[in-house]
Amino acid sequence: MIGKKLLAAFAATLAAGTLTALGPVGTASGATTGTSSPASFGWCDGRNPSGHSDPTTLRSAFARGALLELRYSPSARCAWGRLNRAYSTDSVWVDRSFDGGSTWDGPLGTVQGNTYTIEFDDADVMMRACTNHGGAYTCTAFA
């Protein structure tokens, strides 16, 4: 989902101070809730992503030495967050936007340590992975 709409949403998010693509955000856990999703949306919400044969990393960021990734399965159209080289007290989650990044549903699927979140349907929406690593909030750029 790359294009003028995505770039405009990204610029608006940066201007609002709620996201720095490779750095801290104000308080990612204070994300606002977006519009309701369609009834058919969310078929993979809450599933374990480990069974996909085609996972790929869409976005990544470093948070004080930890590697934060937004992972994705093209065949399932589902995304999840993954954190590596983290402390056991660090957390990882995903945020999802139904309105081009103006508002975010999240944190979704929060877990702690070197692990990955459950997956969430991301068909035609924007997603980002976020972490609280050592007290610093960081999110990947969204995709």
Side-chain angles (χ1 to χ4, degrees):
M1 210 182 221
I2 302 294
K4 291 181 181 179
K5 188 174 181 180
L6 175 63
L7 292 175
F10 183 69
T13 303
L14 285 174
T18 58
L19 171 70
T20 301
L22 297 177
V25 296
T27 54
S29 62
T32 58
T33 301
T35 59
S36 297
S37 58
S40 62
F41 187 83
W43 76 272
C44 66
D45 286 7
R47 293 179 45 175
N48 184 333
S50 66
H52 293 296
S53 61
D54 61 347
T56 187
T57 299
L58 286 179
R59 302 282 188 261
S60 61
F62 286 97
R64 302 174 114 185
L67 175 61
L68 174 64
E69 297 173 299
L70 176 63
R71 303 280 289 162
Y72 176 70
S73 167
S75 63
R77 296 187 74 178
C78 296
W80 61 96
R82 183 168 72 176
L83 189 60
N84 290 301
R85 298 189 300 255
Y87 300 113
S88 61
T89 56
D90 294 343
S91 55
V92 59
W93 64 91
V94 292
D95 292 337
R96 178 168 57 189
S97 178
F98 294 95
D99 58 10
S102 295
T103 60
W104 292 92
D105 286 332
L108 304 171
T110 304
V111 291
Q112 289 185 304
N114 288 300
T115 189
Y116 54 87
T117 69
I118 54 178
E119 65 185 4
F120 293 90
D121 194 331
D122 80 333
D124 302 317
V125 299
M126 292 184 173
M127 302 283 292
R128 66 183 180 188
C130 299
T131 184
N132 176 356
H133 178 69
Y137 291 91
T138 301
C139 290
T140 63
F142 48 84

